[in-house]
Amino acid sequence: FTLTQPHSVSESPGKTVTISCTRSSGSIASTYVQWYQQRPGYSPKIVIFEDDQRPSGVPDRFSGSIDTSSNSASLTISGLRTEDEADYYCQSYDSTNPYVFGGGTKVTVL
Amino acid sequence: EVQLVESGGGLVQRGGSLTLSCSASGFNFDIFPMNWVRQTPGKGPEWVASISHSGSDTHYEDSLKGRFTISRDNARSSVYLQMNNLREEDTSVYFCVRSIVATAAVYFDHWGQGALVTVS
């Protein structure tokens, strides 16, 4: 299966952005979705695991959810800050593919 | 502090071999599965291989089986990736990554800074 993300989203500081991640086959609810943030020049960093769980140290401005009707997962960043400008990747798995990543979404803070 | 430091990257000719090393510190290395993930600039990460905490189990991305070998030395807190018969499409930044089991999912919780491998 593949995970499809929008190429880019942009919004002003203080606003809210939502990034989608659509699964091509199989139910989005059948396996958990993770989200990684990659700032320019840095390695990826986990921000959401198991659909909606935040690792310690990740601000509660970051939230995750899934929508079975659209077979997609979403990452929402509220109260957008300049430091949130980064590429964001969703990741999931199935019985034959242990780690499948989306193509990434570039978040630009205007 | 968890640290993962890759080494061994560089320029290699098509058909050649290269071995990446990753030195880990700041945690009990021998209880965590380890992984290699690669990323071509402008693209999403691509999982390459995983190895269990003991080294007894290994898994590979299907297209890389037979060319890449992951191994580990718990006494040295190190994990390795041997890459043979390299192709131009293997050109990428290779990350050493620790994985952790949450309630049900396994996810990557710490990444190294990456090692660039260029095949020409």
Side-chain angles (χ1 to χ4, degrees):
Chain A
F1 69 95
T2 59
L3 297 171
T4 300
Q5 300 179 234
H7 182 66
S8 63
V9 296
S10 57
E11 190 49 272
S12 302
K15 299 295 188 179
T16 297
V17 292
T18 298
I19 304 165
S20 62
C21 170
T22 303
R23 181 166 172 155
S24 62
S25 61
S27 171
I28 193 70
S30 63
T31 56
Y32 286 112
V33 176
Q34 282 61 242
W35 290 90
Y36 298 86
Q37 174 195 65
Q38 187 174 29
R39 293 187 175 118
Y42 287 84
S43 305
K45 168 194 165 187
I46 185 78
V47 292
I48 293 289
F49 68 94
E50 291 188 342
D51 295 344
D52 58 6
Q53 301 298 301
R54 272 188 315 277
S56 61
V58 174
D60 59 6
R61 301 185 296 105
F62 290 82
S63 62
S65 63
I66 63 168
D67 179 359
T68 53
S69 65
S70 59
N71 211 36
S72 64
S74 294
L75 173 70
T76 298
I77 311 171
S78 59
L80 203 58
R81 298 184 178 183
T82 54
E83 69 226 41
D84 300 331
E85 191 159 284
D87 293 324
Y88 291 83
Y89 298 96
C90 59
Q91 174 259 313
S92 193
Y93 52 94
D94 67 9
S95 59
T96 56
N97 301 284
Y99 303 100
V100 176
F101 287 90
T105 299
K106 181 177 179 59
V107 171
T108 300
V109 181
L110 299 172
Chain B
E1 178 192 3
V2 172
Q3 287 201 322
L4 300 168
V5 180
E6 301 93 340
S7 59
L11 178 64
V12 61
Q13 287 191 332
R14 187 177 353 125
S17 298
L18 203 62
T19 297
L20 300 179
S21 301
C22 170
S23 177
S25 60
F27 65 101
N28 293 331
F29 180 76
D30 57 2
I31 65 172
F32 285 90
M34 295 297 296
N35 312 265
W36 289 96
V37 176
R38 67 185 183 183
Q39 185 176 31
T40 303
K43 295 191 176 180
E46 177 188 19
W47 169 72
V48 171
S50 298
I51 188 166
S52 62
H53 67 94
S54 66
S56 60
D57 274 339
T58 57
H59 300 276
Y60 299 90
E61 199 281 327
D62 281 346
S63 68
L64 301 177
K65 285 179 186 174
R67 292 197 301 124
F68 287 20
T69 302
I70 188 172
S71 61
R72 67 189 293 162
D73 183 341
N74 285 347
R76 296 179 184 271
S77 296
S78 294
V79 61
Y80 308 97
L81 183 69
Q82 182 180 350
M83 303 180 289
N84 297 327
N85 191 19
L86 282 161
R87 305 167 181 168
E88 290 178 355
E89 55 264 36
D90 296 319
T91 294
S92 197
V93 175
Y94 286 75
F95 294 99
C96 171
V97 187
R98 190 181 85 168
S99 52
I100 191 166
V101 180
T103 307
V106 178
Y107 66 91
F108 301 132
D109 71 334
H110 285 278
W111 300 60
Q113 85 286 353
L116 176 62
V117 173
T118 304
V119 184
S120 65

